[in-house]
Amino acid sequence: MYAAAESSMPNVPHMNYMKALNADPTSYLNAAVAFGEKNAQPATIQLKGKMQQSQSRRYYLDNYPLTQVCKHQMQQGNSVLYACRNVTLQANLLDQYRFSVNFEKIPAFWKNVTYKAYAAMRFAAYQYVSEDFISPNNPPNQIEFNANFAPDLRSVNLTMAAPLFTAQFKNLRLNRNIRPWVVMHPDYTPLQLADKHFFKGQAFPSCVVDNSLAQTFDNKTYPINLGKCWYTMFHYTPKEDPTSSESSSEDDQDNFSVLVRDASSPVEKEVIIVLGEYNINMQPTSGDSPAKVVVNGQQTPVSKNHMTELYDENGNTLAQMYALPDGEVRFYAPQQDTEIQFDGTAVKINAQNSYRSEVLGLCGTFNTQPVDDFTTP
């Protein structure tokens, strides 16, 4: 048996709604499978798929009420508060799918299994289906699938063109709990989209420092005016283990902080990430160029084409960073399972729940109690 698959999914903006809306999220998927008895010509299946976004979907989203809130925030220079984070993700969901499956020498058993699966689907959705067995005029050894979601993603039209018939499922209602698993995004897995739907993003909550507002992990929003002084945005303060003879402060992995200040102008930000023995300084640049990144005093290139990695003393990956087409830098610390995003004007931190009640700074205490978010480090 032989199997191979490849996909091509572009990186899209995460911190600016308008850039995300104007990006091209078109994605491609190719797969091939061959199987059969030894010394016999194998059965083969080849799949080619294209997933894209329709203009009607973009028009719908651009007129969505939450999008109007985001646009108002962007007019004030804030692009990564909750409303904008929500619609920026929505801006690159894919609502049109085209898949073709070519097959050769498939055993009758598997053909019957495939037809029974279709029959079960037809039975479950009988009120939505229409079939053409009279004049399908479809090519042999090929099945084509088309899926067109409604602009609001609440229903879908499905078409299946098989060699002997064509079937259409029109206005098939899409349960909102199923939607994250079938509506794809080029940068997020279905599991990540499901988390954002079922847990409102609280599996990996976000904290942001924007132009004139900040938002804590516990969703407290407040005005900021940083100036040239460094402010602690995120400082890890692990609880002492009473059963351990060593202080947690002796572990380099626990040395994790993010500092932020205004750069050359109040609309630009500068960031320092303290991670173990590394000090990573990110400074804004002009246009869509990635931020200038300086690691322990040495400028380190960050590319849109490949990933830059930093290693600890044991050779394990300590940090990974790369740039998106719009110049945004994504920084990921795998040992801390924390992501930092920086576009020169704002900073966003996505942290795992193990940090709850163990952080201080502008991001708050991360304990679900916004009332004590201003506890100082």
Side-chain angles (χ1 to χ4, degrees), residues 204 234 253 255-258 273-276 278 280 282 307-310 316-322 330-341 349-352 355:
F204 289 90
F234 175 102
Q253 186 173 336
N255 188 18
F256 183 28
S257 301
V258 180
I273 303 169
V274 180
L275 186 61
Y278 286 99
I280 301 105
M282 296 186 182
M307 184 178 295
T308 299
E309 294 188 320
L310 304 177
N316 299 317
T317 301
L318 189 66
Q320 301 169 327
M321 49 187 165
Y322 63 94
R330 299 185 70 178
F331 178 97
Y332 178 63
Q335 296 181 26
Q336 287 75 19
D337 200 9
T338 300
E339 182 184 60
I340 300 167
Q341 295 171 276
I349 300 176
N350 300 319
Q352 60 171 322
Y355 284 103

Side-chain angles (χ1 to χ4, degrees), residues 230-250:
W230 286 105
Y231 286 82
T232 300
M233 180 177 176
F234 175 102
H235 178 61
Y236 178 38
T237 56
K239 296 178 180 178
E240 296 291 340
D241 183 358
T243 64
S244 175
S245 60
E246 296 183 359
S247 170
S248 61
S249 62
E250 296 176 1

Side-chain angles (χ1 to χ4, degrees), residues 69-79 81-84:
V69 176
C70 173
K71 288 181 177 180
H72 177 70
Q73 293 174 350
M74 293 183 70
Q75 289 174 356
Q76 299 174 334
N78 299 300
S79 60
L81 300 180
Y82 179 79
C84 281

